Amino acid sequence: MPSSSTASKLAGLDGLAGAKRLVTALARPDSGVHAVLFYGAAGSGKRTLAEELARAWLCRQNVDGACGECQACQAFGRGTNADFLRISPGGLSSWIVLGDISESKGPGKERPVVPLKTFFRTGPIQSTHKVALIERADRMNADAANSLLKTLEEPSPYGKILLTTDSVGRVLPTILSRCVSVCCELPDERSELASPEAWTLARGAPGQAKRIMENWSAYEDLMAFAEVLIHARSHQALALSERFQSIAEKLETSDAAKREEQVEGLRALAEVLRLKRANPEWVQRVVQAHRWMAGNANPSIVFDSLFIALLQDRAPGPEAA
């Protein structure tokens, strides 16, 4: 029997041996699972796995995964399958809000998205199931998370829900308990497509390493910035904060919101400082700033406070001695 389109797609992913076995099992028509959460480091392959499982669940010829040839599979590949809904953080706050999950007449609906519950109100049009993918599920606010929980507790007979997150600890335990959780582990060996430096900055995440390689000049700017930072003095803190923000805006190659670019900038700065063997306390301060930004703190306050603290408390690493 020829391999399915799903099998071919999964075979092309680096690492993820355990996650790929689970996806293969979950993709079968008789799996009986209605909600799956993929978690792991940024760039580990969560979204690719989730999209492949979505395609298998949509496929009209599914035996051991998506066939890749039926109307549902073809429409999914073009991004036009009416039975697939993608929900991701948006707006200035970069949150998934109540209006993304349930019809909401109150404030907080930041952009036009078909609410999840409206989407599931009718059966599939061209596919076997209706499938919703909620990206970065840790960015749901409390109202959205509680509304989703009700849908998970009373699933539609034709509805399937997929979630992804980099921060599984930020997802409600009650949501986790109603999903099959799939850990997206990182590969043991470096991808041949990534340079050693990009692989180090990505902390072994293939997708992240690929994005870094595609935008290497911006990451070179960040490494040059880190060298300046290591030798800087306290009066330069605010100027360095502004310079860092302009570099961070160049790091993402996708259509990421500005806040996500800033979050990636802090993550990458922490890795560059590790690479340059800067003071470990500096690295911890940057990691903490990254957590604050991920938690929706004000970017200007976070950046200014960070660089003031670094340069006032400066205890240079080996390269600044």
Side-chain angles (χ1 to χ4, degrees), residues 225 228-229 232 236-245 307 311:
F225 170 84
V228 172
L229 176 64
Q236 298 173 277
L238 295 182
L240 288 171
S241 175
E242 291 183 8
R243 180 177 171 185
F244 175 75
Q245 291 185 61
F307 290 105
L311 297 182

Side-chain angles (χ1 to χ4, degrees), residues 15-241:
L16 298 168
K20 289 191 284 191
R21 284 194 298 270
L22 265 174
V23 168
T24 299
L26 293 168
R28 296 188 183 112
D30 60 353
S31 71
V33 173
H34 74 278
V36 179
L37 180 139
F38 294 87
Y39 67 94
S44 59
K46 299 182 301 296
R47 176 160 42 176
T48 301
L49 288 173
E51 288 177 346
E52 196 52 40
L53 182 53
R55 191 161 66 109
W57 278 346
L58 292 165
C59 178
R60 297 184 66 87
Q61 308 295 329
N62 181 359
V63 177
D64 289 312
C67 69
E69 299 177 356
C70 70
Q71 181 185 19
C73 286
Q74 292 293 316
F76 183 80
R78 295 191 300 269
T80 59
N81 192 309
D83 299 316
F84 178 71
L85 175 68
R86 188 188 301 270
I87 296 173
S88 57
L92 296 176
S93 67
S94 191
W95 281 103
I96 295 171
V97 297
L98 177 60
D100 295 323
I101 306 299
S102 180
E103 297 87 347
S104 174
K105 296 181 180 178
K109 180 63 175 172
E110 299 184 6
R111 63 203 189 284
V113 175
V114 176
L116 180 79
K117 292 186 178 181
T118 301
F119 174 71
F120 281 140
R121 190 169 291 162
T122 58
I125 298 171
Q126 61 184 149
S127 312
T128 301
H129 296 95
K130 277 196 161 185
V131 181
L133 169 58
I134 302 175
E135 297 181 317
R136 297 200 56 201
D138 53 286
R139 296 297 297 172
M140 282 188 286
N141 66 19
D143 288 339
N146 287 325
S147 183
L148 174 64
L149 182 58
K150 294 177 182 178
T151 301
L152 292 172
E153 289 171 339
E154 301 175 3
S156 160
Y158 48 77
K160 304 278 192 179
I161 298 176
L162 298 166
L163 304 94
T164 67
T165 180
D166 300 346
S167 305
V168 69
R170 293 177 179 265
V171 179
L172 280 181
T174 45
I175 288 179
L176 290 175
S177 68
R178 287 161 176 79
C179 298
V180 171
S181 294
V182 179
C183 175
C184 299
E185 69 275 24
L186 298 178
D188 296 327
E189 298 181 0
R190 175 171 64 89
S191 169
E192 295 179 358
L193 301 178
S195 69
E197 290 149 319
W199 194 252
T200 299
L201 293 181
R203 304 202 84 177
Q208 191 83 345
K210 180 182 178 183
R211 285 193 291 271
I212 290 172
M213 290 293 294
E214 290 172 346
N215 202 16
W216 183 241
S217 63
Y219 285 86
E220 284 185 317
D221 290 345
L222 181 64
M223 288 192 281
F225 170 84
E227 191 68 30
V228 172
L229 176 64
I230 287 173
H231 294 87
R233 294 292 178 262
S234 58
H235 70 275
Q236 298 173 277
L238 295 182
L240 288 171
S241 175

